[in-house]
Amino acid sequence: MRLLGQFRLQFHGEPVPLCGNAQRLLAFVGLRRRVGRCAVAKTLWPDATEAHARGSLRTALWKVPHGGYELLRCTQESLTLADDVDVDARTLARIALDLVRGRGPRPADPVLIGLLDRGDLLPDWDDEWVVLEREWLRRLRLHALDMLSERFTRQSMPALALEAALASIRIEPLREAPHRAVVSVHLAEGNLLEALRHYEAFRHLLRVELGAEPSLRFTQMIPVRRR
């Protein structure tokens, strides 16, 4: 199940068609793996009465396909995602959390950056629970990319450090930390001109968008006297 970008459900590489409520049901359970029926009904149909919400849940469950594979395990109290259903957003969150906590795989593969540099969680959905999950995952991904960039820098892997920092900038261009990381890489490689260009580009962006200036810490990184 793919939740980063447009919702997609595939079985053996073939798309599985689903109606909107069935998509939302699978996405909600997929992000949590196991959740109570009452919580599902209240979250997916917040403006409905309890009886109507439970009825809508039963209808959505009926519309979940059952053709030769298991997606959900249902009891009277809870819904659980089947063990063999992979959810890309959960994989991303697990890897990002491991990196932020200093655990997980050694970040020596650009594929790791590619995984963290994915699309937002269901960007076309405006449900309140999706908006909250999307922002949490975005922040987590940014912190993980910052951690990757720092780790690559310490391991004398400037190209990968730069790639991680630029991936973070693509997600949120106005955060200063990844811009400092880019400048640090350029300075470490003796590319003063590139460092200055990047600093000035960020300085201009900050002025235009926020009417602000880079921090003193960032400014002092550039060993060039500016007017």
Side-chain angles (χ1 to χ4, degrees):
M1 185 160 54
R2 303 289 176 259
L3 304 182
L4 300 175
Q6 186 178 7
F7 180 95
R8 289 162 292 164
L9 180 64
Q10 295 179 322
F11 179 69
H12 288 171
E14 295 296 323
V16 178
L18 286 173
C19 70
N21 281 342
Q23 288 184 7
R24 280 166 167 73
L25 172 60
L26 282 176
F28 185 73
V29 177
L31 287 171
R32 291 158 179 77
R33 213 69 200 183
R34 183 178 184 275
V35 64
R37 279 178 175 260
C38 183
V40 176
K42 287 181 178 179
T43 302
L44 297 188
W45 294 277
D47 298 325
T49 64
E50 181 177 350
H52 184 76
R54 286 182 174 274
S56 297
L57 174 58
R58 287 193 296 271
T59 301
L61 282 169
W62 179 79
K63 292 181 178 179
V64 173
H66 302 86
Y69 46 82
E70 183 182 42
L71 295 173
L72 292 174
R73 295 173 182 170
C74 307
T75 69
Q76 291 185 345
E77 301 297 329
S78 66
L79 302 174
T80 305
L81 195 69
D83 292 339
D84 56 352
V85 179
D86 294 322
V87 183
D88 60 351
R90 285 180 58 86
T91 301
L92 171 63
R94 184 182 68 252
I95 291 174
L97 279 170
D98 283 344
L99 287 169
V100 169
R101 293 167 177 168
R103 303 198 303 263
R106 292 175 61 83
D109 192 334
V111 173
L112 196 56
I113 299 174
L115 178 61
L116 293 173
D117 190 20
R118 292 282 182 87
D120 277 335
L121 176 72
L122 301 169
D124 297 330
W125 294 17
D126 59 2
D127 309 59
E128 183 177 355
W129 65 271
V130 176
V131 173
L132 293 174
E133 292 280 353
R134 183 188 303 140
E135 179 61 18
W136 174 80
L137 188 58
R138 190 177 71 91
R139 288 292 169 189
L140 177 60
R141 183 169 48 182
L142 289 170
H143 288 309
L145 285 167
D146 290 346
M147 185 72 70
L148 270 181
S149 185
E150 292 176 7
R151 203 176 296 182
F152 283 136
T153 298
R154 292 196 302 268
Q155 295 174 353
S156 299
M157 298 179 179
L160 291 179
L162 186 61
E163 188 175 348
L166 291 176
S168 179
I169 290 171
R170 285 193 291 270
I171 297 170
E172 180 49 79
L174 294 175
R175 291 177 69 245
E176 183 177 294
H179 290 279
R180 289 200 307 265
V182 170
V183 168
S184 293
V185 171
H186 287 316
L187 291 175
E189 294 192 303
N191 298 325
L192 180 58
L193 182 58
E194 290 298 324
L196 182 56
R197 282 176 177 169
H198 191 89
Y199 171 86
E200 293 295 352
F202 175 66
R203 187 185 187 195
H204 175 74
L205 177 66
L206 213 56
R207 283 177 171 177
V208 170
E209 296 295 331
L210 301 178
E213 291 286 335
S215 68
L216 181 61
R217 174 185 176 185
F218 195 5
T219 302
Q220 291 177 337
M221 290 177 61
I222 306 297
V224 176
R225 190 171 185 177
R226 290 176 303 279
R227 295 179 182 179

